[in-house]
């Protein structure tokens, strides 16, 4: 008889998560366009819990993975998969100390793919069109996990000058250059 085999396939979040853990000296940004057009609870699932981050950047509540994700992450983080660095160990002590009440060695559990916690260098940016009637209202428990900024569609000028406002995201990233780059990628 014929045998059907299902392989685990990482999706967008997990790809960003892996990129951040295996490249600890680079900032990784996951951008979610028009987040209010979907059901946030369904979109994020268990990952919703990871969005509560402490001042050190780590998730307040790590989540445990299922066996397929665990095996996939363990293989990637080992450094034995071509095209992937092993997991970066720069935050090993921070992770072990922070989660010491729950795990004897949290970093090993992370490296083995048993738990997920957002890495310090992973940012998640979302956009929403405030004039759009949301298909799904965003509840307050979800809203409080984000920093909110209103940004006009067109780049405004400073009053009485020809100089334009330069809005920054994540410290030194210019919002308008970011939008232009994203649009260039989309239009390819």
């Amino acid at each position: 008889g014929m045998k059907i085999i299902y392989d685990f396939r990482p999706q967008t979040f997990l790809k960003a998560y892996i990129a951040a853990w295996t490249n600890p000296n680079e900032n990784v940004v996951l951008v979610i366009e028009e987040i209010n057009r979907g059901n946030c609870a369904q979109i994020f699932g268990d990952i919703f819990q990871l969005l509560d981050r402490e001042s050190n950047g780590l998730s307040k509540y790590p989540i445990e993975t299922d066996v397929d994700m665990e095996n996939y992450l363990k293989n990637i983080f080992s450094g034995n998969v071509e095209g992937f660095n092993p997991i970066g160990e720069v935050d090993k002590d921070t992770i072990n100390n922070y989660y010491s009440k729950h795990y004897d060695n949290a970093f090993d559990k992370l490296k083995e793919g048993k738990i997920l916690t957002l890495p310090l260098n992973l940012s998640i940016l979302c956009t929403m069109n405030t004039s759009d009637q949301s298909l799904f209202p965003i509840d307050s428990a979800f809203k409080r996990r984000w920093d909110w900024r209103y940004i006009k569609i067109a780049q405004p000028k400073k009053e009485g000058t020809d100089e334009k406002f330069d809005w920054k995201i994540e410290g030194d990233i210019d919002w308008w250059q970011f939008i232009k780059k994203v649009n260039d990628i989309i239009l390819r």
Side-chain angles (χ1 to χ4, degrees), residues 37-184:
R37 298 198 55 85
N39 183 330
C40 293
Q42 284 183 332
I43 291 166
F44 281 87
D46 290 350
I47 294 164
F48 180 77
Q49 192 169 303
L50 298 180
L51 300 177
D52 260 330
R53 292 172 102 166
E54 292 293 2
S55 56
N56 64 11
L58 293 171
S59 299
K60 194 172 186 175
Y61 310 105
I63 58 174
E64 295 183 4
T65 58
D66 63 31
V67 70
D68 293 323
M69 188 185 288
E70 177 184 332
N71 290 334
Y72 183 82
L73 288 172
K74 184 177 186 176
N75 196 26
I76 293 288
F77 287 163
S78 70
N80 297 329
V81 178
E82 193 175 335
F84 290 97
N85 301 322
I87 190 169
E89 301 206 358
V90 289
D91 299 310
K92 182 177 183 174
D93 292 340
T94 305
I95 290 164
N96 283 334
N97 291 336
Y98 184 71
Y99 297 120
S100 62
K101 289 183 186 131
H102 306 288
Y103 302 102
D104 287 341
N105 192 329
F107 187 80
D108 284 352
K109 294 231 181 303
L110 179 75
K111 194 173 179 177
E112 292 162 4
K114 292 179 187 300
I115 63 169
L116 298 180
T117 179
L118 294 183
L120 308 178
N121 60 330
L122 176 62
S123 298
I124 303 174
L125 300 177
C126 305
T127 66
M128 68 166 32
N129 183 342
T130 53
S131 65
D132 192 6
Q133 290 299 311
S134 296
L135 299 177
F136 295 93
I138 295 180
D139 69 32
S140 58
F142 189 77
K143 278 184 177 175
R144 73 176 170 78
R145 289 170 164 84
W146 303 89
D147 289 330
W148 290 78
R149 277 188 215 152
Y150 176 76
I151 298 176
K152 292 183 178 182
I153 293 170
Q155 186 174 3
K157 291 184 178 174
K158 291 183 181 169
E159 212 173 312
T161 72
D162 282 340
E163 198 181 331
K164 294 193 170 187
F165 276 114
D166 38 329
W167 290 343
K168 305 287 185 206
I169 51 173
E170 297 299 306
D172 60 350
I173 300 168
D174 179 83
W175 172 255
W176 304 105
Q177 287 176 353
F178 172 75
I179 290 297
K180 185 182 179 324
K181 185 79 172 167
V182 168
N183 284 334
D184 290 346

